[in-house]
Amino acid sequence: DGSVVLILNPRELARPGHQHMTAQQAAVKLQSTQCSEVFEVLIVDDSFSVRQVVSNLIKNAGWHPMLARDGLEALEIIQRSAAPPALILLDVEMPRMDGYELTATLRAHATYRDIPIVMLTSRAGEKHRHKAFEVGATEYLVKPYQDETLLSVIRQHMPTAGRVMAA
């Protein structure tokens, strides 16, 4: 008859940590999933564990993570993809091609110039931050970061359809 019906997923309810999610957090997660499933976030970090942790965070927010071990692999992924990622999360220090080189390379191509690039690095020094912005980074976050801070930065730079507004 067109009325709204609550449907519960027992697997989600039984998942560890689910009990601690507030109604508002659940609503934001649901809204994020509904609004932004098609948006891809490229995670570029030479650390396997960092890629996995950030990937899980991106999945839980409702976006699709793509993973690369370094700048060169990321560049190959971007060039092979039908469309560029909506956003790139990028470490600074990596083998073969570091975050600065990848950022400069992407900013030199008109097709990739406007992709938001968020540097996620352990380098807290002002010279590193300055260099990141100089080559074209959009944001600069120092590890360790708060998950909600990272998600907020991502939402801020996602295409309009992918933004989740706080209630």
Side-chain angles (χ1 to χ4, degrees):
D1 66 351
S3 60
V4 176
V5 178
L6 178 63
I7 299 174
L8 300 176
N9 182 347
R11 285 188 187 148
E12 277 294 306
L13 292 173
R15 193 180 79 202
H18 178 80
Q19 297 80 5
H20 303 292
M21 187 182 298
T22 67
Q24 184 178 10
Q25 289 170 325
V28 168
K29 182 177 176 182
L30 176 63
Q31 186 179 11
S32 173
T33 302
Q34 290 172 337
C35 292
S36 60
E37 279 184 43
V38 297
F39 292 113
E40 293 184 328
V41 176
L42 179 57
I43 301 161
V44 189
D45 200 301
D46 59 331
S47 166
F48 175 78
S49 58
V50 169
R51 286 194 311 269
Q52 291 309 307
V53 167
V54 176
S55 175
N56 288 335
L57 183 66
I58 296 302
K59 283 179 196 172
N60 289 337
W63 299 302
H64 180 259
M66 299 174 0
L67 307 177
R69 291 180 300 252
D70 58 37
L72 196 55
E73 184 178 20
L75 190 57
E76 292 167 359
I77 289 169
I78 292 168
Q79 291 173 338
R80 281 194 321 252
S81 298
L87 184 132
I88 299 172
L89 299 175
L90 181 59
D91 189 17
V92 170
E93 294 180 318
M94 297 176 291
R96 298 194 309 161
M97 179 185 276
D98 69 22
Y100 299 132
E101 293 170 308
L102 178 60
T103 301
T105 300
L106 293 174
R107 295 303 186 226
H109 293 289
T111 308
Y112 310 124
R113 189 168 292 142
D114 296 327
I115 300 172
I117 298 174
V118 178
M119 293 277 194
L120 282 181
T121 180
S122 57
R123 296 293 178 188
E126 190 55 40
K127 72 176 187 175
H128 297 287
R129 178 182 297 275
H130 179 73
K131 184 173 181 179
F133 288 120
E134 192 175 88
V135 296
T138 311
E139 294 282 346
Y140 192 92
L141 294 177
V142 177
K143 298 173 192 172
Y145 54 85
Q146 296 295 315
D147 288 351
E148 200 47 52
T149 301
L150 177 57
L151 289 173
S152 176
V153 166
I154 293 170
R155 287 183 192 113
Q156 196 176 0
H157 294 288
M158 274 290 181
T160 306
R163 291 189 186 164
V164 177
M165 301 299 171

